[in-house]
Amino acid sequence: MYKAPRGTEDILPAEQPYWRFVEAQAEAVCRSYGYQRIETPMFEEAGLFERGVGAASDIVEKEMYTFPDRSGDLMTLRPEGTAPVCRAYLEHGMAQLPQPVRLYYLGPAFRYERPQAGRFRQHHQLGVEALGEADPALDAEVISLAWDLFQRLGLMVGAPRSIGAPLLKLNSIGCSQCRPRYIAELRANYSGHVEQLCTDCRSRLERNPLRLLDCKQPGCQAVAGAVPRSLDHLCHDCRQHFDGLQVYLKALAFPYSVDHRLVRGLDYYTRTVFEVQPVVEGAQSTMAGGGRYDGLVEAVGGKPTPAVGFAAGLERIILNLKRAGVHVPDSGSPVAFMAHLGPAAKERALLLAGELRRRGITVVAAWSDRSLRAQLRQANSVGARYALILGDAELASGSVVVRDMATGEQQTVPQDQVGGRLAL
RNA sequence: GUGAGCGUAGCCCAGCGGUCAAGGCGCCUGGCUGUGGCCCAGGAUAUCGAGGGUUCGAAUCCCUCCGCUCACCCCA
């Protein structure tokens, strides 16, 4: 028996209301900010991600689905959406458009990971990217968009800061000017405490010192508490940017909190980084994460172009909608169920169902030759508002019985008038 | 890649060495030869995850593998 590959899942009809809801809200917020939808391919040349995301990142090192296609070119199932958007921005000369260019996308991303609650090998992201503008007000706009989304989804209703962690976490990790100096200092500081660090952190010290900060091991946390903060080592421009952003966020009255240990796993982030966490804490609690990536466009072959954005995980959002008990609109049930008795009536029923559908009425039927009882039972269980019954008697008189499933009342009406009746 | 827990019908699950593997939901049929929801009666569906071993005998014990879940790493 075949099964969906590990870390993938079928999104069954019962789940669709959640997806429709989230996607509809996402599109609505993006549109309200003037962001336009873009679709990039599900796979790209492997090099795009190696250069864009960073060769030393976990994603590139161990999580990419990379394969040679039939011509031998190395392709990668996209592990994230930002690098492809930058590629498209360059490929289509979007730098010539009025800046910033505001884009969003909705689609799957692939990472080879051990699946877990809220983590999949194929998952779906909403990505929002604004390219070509360095002003911190654009950072604020993007954060504001994310905030509005969660607001609309109903995940922030009464979100009380009293319980647990704040919802919006913010930090600045500097730029290519000031970050190296900070990292050097960080490394120097940690080097004095190697004995207290976990084995992971000992290797992080060499390869990716920033990530030392968010290790959860008690020993490492103790060291991290006393270590220098990136915010204290920003260069003048980065400092100004961060202060500016905070002014705007305060003006917008977002209850964010600065988290000195917030660093992100993708190498392309500069300056602003942020995450949105749900009210209910869980292992994979981050629903959205992003920040500024002023060096990415250049890294994938363009001119230096500042940009900000974020990605939100749809599976995680849905997980949290369920945990929070958010009610989503359900998909409607059929209006009419067509029941037939006898072969001649069956033919006529087929025809009548088609006529009704052309008038925009949702009609379902069982079509197998079952008892009227069985057909009505099915009409009931699919939630049809009306059952239409067509047997020899109706066939003879050109009529059909319309039964209201809620009240049990039924009327015999001419076949050419059913449409009008049901449309009411 | 590491660690832990779990695999019995479409779903939830009882059974934990010895009659035909129990029950609930769902599905089908009938009670009502053309009338649903409730009720009643009946029915179908399980290589008990796979392979090997122990035993007179294994869904039950042991081993291996596979899968699922949760957590770590990391991330949406």
Side-chain angles (χ1 to χ4, degrees):
Chain A
M1 200 97 121
Y2 290 112
K3 292 194 298 189
R6 173 160 231 206
T8 69
E9 61 176 6
D10 299 311
I11 302 170
L12 300 173
E15 291 295 305
Q16 294 296 339
Y18 285 98
W19 287 83
R20 283 176 165 277
F21 175 65
V22 174
E23 287 168 1
Q25 296 304 320
E27 298 219 67
V29 202
C30 289
R31 234 178 287 124
S32 78
Y33 279 77
Y35 284 65
Q36 294 187 293
R37 184 158 178 165
I38 184 170
E39 301 282 350
T40 65
M42 240 109 89
F43 60 91
E44 299 267 0
E45 287 180 45
L48 173 66
F49 300 110
E50 280 160 15
R51 276 171 216 209
V53 178
S57 66
D58 272 39
I59 288 183
V60 172
E61 269 189 356
K62 50 182 195 185
E63 294 179 357
M64 296 209 305
Y65 278 94
T66 298
F67 58 94
D69 69 10
R70 284 173 182 274
S71 76
D73 294 337
L74 263 197
M75 295 294 163
T76 296
L77 257 33
R78 70 170 179 222
E80 59 97 51
T82 305
V85 166
C86 290
R87 194 223 78 231
Y89 175 88
L90 290 172
E91 185 172 342
H92 299 97
M94 291 189 224
Q96 307 309 313
L97 300 172
Q99 307 292 297
V101 173
R102 296 179 165 91
L103 302 169
Y104 76 94
Y105 54 87
L106 234 21
F110 307 85
R111 292 180 199 167
Y112 188 86
E113 302 183 275
R114 284 287 280 274
Q116 195 181 321
R119 164 186 279 141
F120 303 86
R121 287 186 174 178
Q122 177 180 348
H123 72 283
H124 298 77
Q125 294 188 352
L126 159 70
V128 172
E129 321 283 359
L131 303 101
E133 175 57 66
D135 197 288
L138 189 60
D139 303 42
E141 173 180 294
V142 162
I143 291 172
S144 166
L145 192 162
W147 184 264
D148 282 4
L149 171 63
F150 291 108
Q151 201 90 41
R152 276 175 186 255
L153 290 170
L155 283 170
M156 300 223 173
V157 205
R161 235 126 312 298
S162 49
I163 49 166
L167 291 157
L168 178 58
K169 289 185 173 180
L170 184 70
N171 196 14
S172 175
I173 55 172
C175 65
S176 56
Q177 299 302 308
C178 52
R179 186 157 37 171
R181 286 204 303 273
Y182 170 62
I183 286 176
E185 191 154 336
L186 192 63
R187 189 176 270 149
N189 233 277
Y190 264 97
S191 299
H193 306 276
V194 177
E195 316 75 38
Q196 298 174 51
L197 301 178
C198 66
T199 51
D200 282 334
C201 279
R202 289 179 193 184
S203 69
R204 285 189 184 112
L205 190 54
E206 291 309 312
R207 326 179 60 200
N208 206 333
L210 273 187
R211 266 185 251 162
L212 287 163
L213 292 172
D214 65 348
C215 182
K216 283 118 197 156
Q217 299 296 323
C220 308
Q221 291 235 327
V223 182
V227 112
R229 298 170 162 186
S230 64
L231 285 184
D232 299 327
H233 293 261
L234 298 180
C235 61
H236 176 74
D237 289 351
C238 286
R239 182 76 240 174
Q240 286 234 304
H241 186 91
F242 189 67
D243 290 344
L245 173 57
Q246 291 202 80
V247 167
Y248 300 134
L249 290 180
K250 279 173 184 148
L252 289 165
F254 291 153
Y256 70 94
S257 80
V258 173
D259 182 344
H260 297 283
R261 299 194 189 163
L262 177 61
V263 294
R264 315 226 64 243
L266 285 67
D267 292 358
Y268 53 62
Y269 287 110
T270 55
R271 296 191 169 167
T272 311
V273 291
F274 69 95
E275 284 187 4
V276 177
Q277 314 240 330
V279 179
V280 187
E281 283 292 328
Q284 272 67 46
S285 56
T286 299
M287 288 191 291
R292 192 158 264 288
Y293 47 94
D294 292 340
L296 181 53
V297 172
E298 190 178 5
V300 300
K303 285 191 281 201
T305 307
V308 227
F310 75 88
L314 303 194
E315 283 83 356
R316 287 187 187 175
I317 287 173
I318 289 168
L319 181 69
N320 282 289
L321 286 175
K322 290 177 179 173
R323 283 180 179 167
V326 173
H327 213 266
V328 300
D330 63 351
S331 53
S333 38
V335 173
F337 185 97
M338 189 82 237
H340 73 276
L341 290 145
K346 187 173 184 175
E347 283 179 33
R348 181 71 200 129
L350 223 28
L351 212 59
L352 183 56
E355 285 165 17
L356 294 173
R357 291 181 188 125
R358 257 167 261 130
R359 301 189 53 148
I361 297 164
T362 304
V363 184
V364 297
W367 298 131
S368 62
D369 300 325
R370 300 208 272 159
S371 68
L372 182 60
R373 170 180 216 220
Q375 295 186 67
L376 285 179
R377 230 202 297 260
Q378 191 167 343
N380 186 62
S381 69
V382 300
R385 212 151 54 234
Y386 301 97
L388 307 181
I389 303 164
L390 194 54
D392 291 334
E394 291 74 23
L395 203 56
S397 63
S399 64
V400 63
V401 172
V402 178
R403 179 180 179 85
D404 184 314
M405 294 300 284
T407 64
E409 288 166 19
Q410 51 185 55
Q411 292 182 357
T412 303
V413 319
Q415 284 168 20
D416 54 11
Q417 285 173 34
V418 226
R421 277 203 68 80
L422 301 191
L424 298 180

